[in-house]
Amino acid sequence: MFLFITPIISAQSIVDNNQQSIENKLAKLEKTSPQQLDSAIEEWKKIYDSEFQQLSLANKAELLIIGSNMYLARGELAQGEIIYKQLTRLLTKITDLTLKAHATILEAKIAMDKGNSYKALDILTSLNLSISSADNTQLSFQYFSTIAFLHYRMAEYQLALSHYLKASELIPLMLKADQSYNVMELYNMLGLINLDIGKNEKGLNYIEKAIKLAQENGNNEMLAHLYINRGVYYRNTGDIDGWYKNTLSAYNLGVKIDYPIVELTALTNLTDYLIVSEQYKEAQESALLAIAKARQLNAKREEAMSIGNLGMSLFLQGLKNEGIIKVEEAIAIVKEIEFRQMESMMLNSLVDMYADIGNYKKAYNLLREQNLLENELFNKEREKALASMQNKLDLNEKDRINELLKRDLQLKNERLVSQELEQLLMLSLASIAIMALILILIFAMKIKEKNRKLSVKNSQLKLDSQKDPLTGLSNRRGFESFITRYNFAEENIPSTKHSDAILIMDIDHFKSVNDTYGHSAGDYVLKEIARILTMNIRDNEIVVRWGGEEFLMYFRDLNKQHISKVVNRLLKHISQSKFQFEQQTLNVTMSIGFIYSPFNDITGEKLDWEACIKLADEALYLSKHSGRNRATGVIESNDVTNNELRHTPLTDLVATNKINIIEITNKND
């Protein structure tokens, strides 16, 4: 006979057991992988609805942090922010610095998801966390990983790499804490960054480490992602067979485990592979599958990319009008979702398509639209950087003023005390007065020195705002300052023998350099071009990074007959230079549009520099669509009005013989 005895449990034991239970639940939720998000969020809702009111303040805060992070990971920014706002109200009652640090990181993630990258960076920088000062491994790991991912989003690959490497120092402790998924993700990001900066072998090494860890843990979802990224390595190194095999493995694994987002990514990459390998019919079929999958997932970006790929595959099969229609459909979607970078890339493809079918007017209009968009993107990035710099300067100024007020209050207190003791301590008062005077003099000198330093910082900020950070050349703002100092309107007067010259230059097929060798190679080419162009100017002339891969050169007081030789020399210098990036030799050419200034004996007052640049830019367009690696110059006009020069497309003026141009192909002197 068995006797079942019910144990007697104290009230404190029940409390302890409940506390242990909620901590176990929270620990389980913290280990949620992206593939488990839906079920984990449902579990989070159950805990919130049934247990939230009974939890301790610390457990409530932890539950809200986990919930907000999960909703952000699922792309539901609004819900994640609602939970974060509830968390901020709760944190006013909590002193736990670790929880507050987690909340600060969460605030930065929300700013990042809203597109405020510089605000997110300021938030994380203010946290000023380091491995040595943080006693919580997961907090330190999350901090370094978040700030690294932010730099990666901002294309600041070296900064991203340095923070990911700091996070990697915590890998042994993270594995001990059963955080293998986060370690896999870290290896994956280290791999991707190294691939982006052209360190392909190092990138592959990190991806292989992640693959091994994913296989050991049976994480097929992560494994599918890693197959795609290993395919990127093979694409970068020119092994398109390896690219195809890894991408196909990712797709098959995605189908097997019913992981639609990987299926979609793999289909998109397979379509790219099929276009590159000139299997256009198969690319069309792959693009159609990707479009259907993207619409199933309501993934607008991927839908637009796949429709664009469909248009490209149709165009390359000879179905040119059908292909153009699809690319225009894709552009409409990216405009709707405001994905401006992709819009620019697609406009570039559409320009080439219209030029290929002979519709040069449409191609020209689209090229102008793309140039405006590129300028807008360039200016936005510059404005964000300047705003961040100014914000930091403002914070320094506020700290300085607070310090001054604090010292002033201290001085007033000292004076009050001295007045109360005046009758008894006359001798001491005299001494204090002398000391106070000395302090005031020292204080005034310090203020003067700080003001001088602030003035220097402001001057440096103004100077930095006129420089391109990558090449060190002047940017558009710097050129405007140069042309204002030069007094273009008054100095540009007609001369029979001498003239200034404005050149607009664009690197041919620059996108393919980035796509083939990585953004690090593209940056190297831009800096080398800047160096070569700078070698070809005098002290009173200027080279400008005009935007993206475009440069501007302004030559002063040249013999008109000599300008063509200068342009030809530049074409030859660039095309014959060996651009040696790591172990690759890159062949680079440029197309040029140029104009004499003053043009056709019209003074700078009547035809300003913006109008001259417009004509040179349109001449560049003619060089691009006449075969590239050449120059087109606007040299004289026949009975053309200033209004026509400003507002009529150059192609129309040339067609009606109102403008004469000169074409220079790349040849020896």
Side-chain angles (χ1 to χ4, degrees):
M1 180 178 188
F2 297 97
L3 182 64
F4 294 95
I5 303 175
T6 303
I8 300 173
I9 303 174
S10 69
Q12 182 60 45
S13 297
I14 294 173
V15 171
D16 291 343
N17 287 339
N18 288 340
Q19 180 66 21
Q20 187 65 39
S21 173
I22 188 61
E23 288 180 357
N24 288 339
K25 290 176 181 178
L26 292 175
K28 184 177 179 182
L29 288 175
E30 281 181 337
K31 297 174 184 177
T32 300
S33 69
Q35 295 73 40
Q36 301 166 333
L37 270 178
D38 291 341
S39 59
I41 286 176
E42 290 304 314
E43 179 63 25
W44 182 88
K45 288 179 181 177
K46 290 179 184 177
I47 298 172
Y48 182 87
D49 291 339
S50 61
E51 301 182 45
F52 184 77
Q53 297 303 327
Q54 290 77 44
L55 298 180
S56 66
L57 285 176
N59 286 150
K60 284 179 178 179
E62 190 174 357
L63 182 66
L64 293 175
I65 290 169
I66 292 170
S68 185
N69 271 307
M70 288 197 297
Y71 275 107
L72 292 179
R74 199 163 71 172
E76 298 181 32
L77 174 60
Q79 185 61 35
E81 191 170 14
I82 288 170
I83 298 172
Y84 169 74
K85 288 178 180 177
Q86 184 181 357
L87 171 66
T88 57
R89 292 191 293 270
L90 186 65
L91 286 175
T92 60
K93 307 172 185 177
I94 294 176
T95 58
D96 190 311
L97 295 179
T98 298
L99 287 173
K100 290 189 174 184
H102 275 295
T104 302
I105 294 171
L106 182 57
E107 181 188 4
K109 288 181 180 178
I110 290 171
M112 194 191 320
D113 284 355
K114 286 183 172 181
N116 298 328
S117 298
Y118 288 100
K119 179 181 178 182
L121 186 59
D122 288 341
I123 292 168
L124 289 170
T125 303
S126 70
L127 189 56
N128 197 24
L129 195 64
S130 67
I131 292 175
S132 58
S133 64
D135 58 0
N136 185 304
T137 298
Q138 292 184 41
L139 174 61
S140 300
F141 188 90
Q142 186 183 6
Y143 170 76
F144 288 124
S145 297
T146 303
I147 198 169
F149 184 69
L150 175 58
H151 283 299
Y152 179 75
R153 282 263 299 264
M154 298 165 71
E156 296 172 344
Y157 299 120
Q158 291 298 339
L159 287 172
L161 187 61
S162 67
H163 284 93
Y164 273 127
L165 288 174
K166 287 179 182 178
S168 71
E169 296 175 22
L170 298 167
I171 285 177
L173 294 173
M174 290 295 287
L175 291 174
K176 190 175 180 181
D178 195 20
Q179 293 286 327
S180 59
Y181 178 83
N182 288 320
V183 174
M184 283 182 264
E185 184 59 36
L186 173 63
Y187 281 142
N188 180 41
M189 291 305 302
L190 283 168
L192 285 177
I193 292 173
N194 278 284
L195 292 178
D196 278 330
I197 63 177
K199 296 182 178 180
N200 293 311
E201 298 305 322
K202 187 172 284 188
L204 178 63
N205 182 48
Y206 281 118
I207 290 171
E208 293 290 6
K209 286 182 178 180
I211 287 175
K212 181 181 178 183
L213 197 55
Q215 289 171 337
E216 289 173 354
N217 286 270
N219 193 321
N220 286 329
E221 293 88 353
M222 176 59 80
L223 197 58
H225 280 293
L226 293 167
Y227 285 153
I228 289 174
N229 294 339
R230 187 164 63 182
V232 173
Y233 160 79
Y234 287 111
R235 183 196 66 191
N236 287 359
T237 55
D239 184 351
I240 62 172
D241 186 50
W243 177 21
Y244 170 73
K245 288 179 179 177
N246 277 273
T247 308
L248 185 61
S249 295
Y251 175 72
N252 290 335
L253 184 55
V255 172
K256 179 181 177 182
I257 63 177
D258 190 23
Y259 194 8
I261 190 62
V262 162
E263 294 176 51
L264 174 57
T265 306
L267 280 170
T268 305
N269 286 8
L270 283 171
T271 307
D272 288 339
Y273 159 78
L274 292 167
I275 290 174
V276 169
S277 59
E278 300 181 358
Q279 301 178 58
Y280 304 130
K281 183 64 178 175
E282 292 80 359
Q284 176 186 345
E285 295 170 358
S286 177
L288 287 169
L289 289 173
I291 292 168
K293 185 65 67 175
R295 287 172 177 166
Q296 175 190 336
L297 297 172
N298 194 29
K300 288 290 187 180
R301 287 190 180 190
E302 288 74 12
E303 180 185 356
M305 290 170 60
S306 300
I307 293 173
N309 281 338
L310 175 60
M312 188 64 67
S313 64
L314 291 170
F315 190 88
L316 293 170
Q317 288 180 72
L319 302 172
K320 297 190 175 182
N321 289 330
E322 293 89 335
I324 286 173
I325 289 170
K326 286 299 176 185
V327 173
E328 288 176 337
E329 181 184 341
I331 290 174
I333 295 174
V334 295
K335 283 183 176 179
E336 177 189 342
I337 62 175
E338 298 183 352
F339 191 1
R340 309 292 272 167
Q341 289 85 354
M342 186 182 290
E343 182 184 345
S344 178
M345 292 168 57
M346 289 184 172
L347 281 171
N348 186 61
S349 298
L350 199 56
V351 168
D352 290 337
M353 286 177 164
Y354 273 110
D356 186 81
I357 65 173
N359 191 342
Y360 296 111
K361 187 170 184 179
K362 181 70 172 178
Y364 169 76
N365 290 333
L366 288 167
L367 185 64
R368 287 181 63 82
E369 182 181 347
Q370 188 207 6
N371 285 340
L372 289 172
L373 179 56
E374 284 290 332
N375 291 338
E376 177 189 331
L377 293 171
F378 181 81
N379 289 332
K380 279 185 178 178
E381 286 303 312
R382 182 182 65 185
E383 287 167 8
K384 286 180 181 178
L386 288 173
S388 178
M389 292 170 65
Q390 187 61 53
N391 183 49
K392 290 174 183 175
L393 194 61
D394 291 344
L395 289 173
N396 291 337
E397 178 66 5
K398 287 178 182 177
D399 290 343
R400 187 182 74 86
I401 292 172
N402 287 335
E403 182 64 24
L404 290 177
L405 291 173
K406 187 187 297 183
R407 292 185 183 184
D408 186 57
L409 180 62
Q410 181 180 359
L411 186 59
K412 288 178 180 177
N413 288 335
E414 289 177 359
R415 286 176 178 173
L416 182 62
V417 171
S418 69
Q419 287 173 2
E420 292 174 350
L421 297 174
E422 183 177 0
Q423 304 242 333
L424 298 174
L425 302 168
M426 291 299 294
L427 185 60
S428 298
L429 180 62
S431 300
I432 291 172
I434 293 170
M435 289 300 297
L437 179 60
I438 293 171
L439 286 173
I440 291 171
L441 290 172
I442 294 172
F443 187 52
M445 291 174 64
K446 287 185 177 181
I447 292 175
K448 185 177 180 180
E449 176 63 17
K450 287 192 175 184
N451 283 334
R452 185 191 67 79
K453 289 181 179 179
L454 183 61
S455 177
V456 170
K457 285 184 179 180
N458 282 328
S459 299
Q460 186 61 44
L461 179 63
K462 182 178 179 181
L463 183 62
D464 289 344
S465 74
Q466 296 180 2
K467 289 287 185 182
D468 171 51
L470 176 66
T471 62
L473 297 177
S474 294
N475 57 21
R476 290 187 180 224
R477 183 177 290 181
F479 177 71
E480 289 172 8
S481 177
F482 165 84
I483 213 73
T484 301
R485 293 195 308 272
Y486 173 41
N487 200 357
F488 181 90
E490 295 181 11
E491 295 289 339
N492 253 246
I493 57 176
S495 169
T496 56
K497 293 183 179 180
H498 292 79
S499 176
D500 291 2
I502 299 175
L503 281 64
I504 299 289
M505 320 172 72
D506 186 89
I507 303 173
D508 296 329
H509 303 296
F510 182 72
K511 181 177 179 295
S512 66
V513 174
N514 282 330
D515 290 346
T516 305
Y517 303 103
H519 292 284
S520 183
D523 289 348
Y524 162 76
V525 169
L526 290 170
K527 288 188 282 189
E528 280 297 294
I529 292 288
R531 182 184 64 80
I532 292 169
L533 297 182
T534 303
M535 291 167 53
N536 284 275
I537 62 169
R538 296 169 292 183
D539 290 341
N540 62 343
E541 296 166 343
I542 191 170
V543 180
V544 181
R545 185 177 178 197
W546 199 238
E549 64 266 30
E550 278 194 341
F551 296 83
L552 179 147
M553 299 184 75
Y554 193 105
F555 290 99
R556 296 277 300 274
D557 197 26
L558 289 179
N559 185 304
K560 288 184 178 180
Q561 303 302 319
H562 188 59
I563 292 176
S564 297
K565 291 184 179 180
V566 170
V567 172
N568 186 51
R569 185 173 69 241
L570 288 170
L571 288 170
K572 187 174 73 171
H573 196 160
I574 297 295
S575 64
Q576 292 183 355
S577 295
K578 297 298 181 185
F579 293 80
Q580 197 72 32
F581 178 72
E582 295 186 347
Q583 298 179 352
Q584 302 284 343
T585 300
L586 313 180
N587 296 315
V588 178
T589 62
M590 296 191 80
S591 297
I592 302 175
F594 67 94
I595 185 172
Y596 301 157
S597 178
F599 174 67
N600 209 50
D601 294 339
I602 302 174
T603 65
E605 185 177 5
K606 293 182 179 179
L607 189 68
D608 58 23
W609 61 268
E610 289 99 334
C612 289
I613 287 176
K614 168 188 170 293
L615 290 167
D617 192 46
E618 293 177 5
L620 169 63
Y621 163 78
L622 294 177
S623 298
K624 283 286 187 184
H625 290 279
S626 296
R628 296 182 171 87
N629 191 19
R630 63 190 63 217
T632 303
V634 181
I635 57 172
E636 60 184 1
S637 67
N638 303 308
D639 192 28
V640 64
T641 67
N642 289 356
N643 186 59
E644 286 177 314
L645 286 172
R646 290 174 181 276
H647 303 294
T648 304
L650 180 62
T651 50
D652 292 350
L653 294 174
V654 172
T656 55
N657 293 319
K658 289 191 173 184
I659 285 284
N660 293 336
I661 61 173
I662 181 174
E663 295 184 348
I664 302 173
T665 56
N666 190 355
K667 61 183 180 181
N668 294 325
D669 286 326

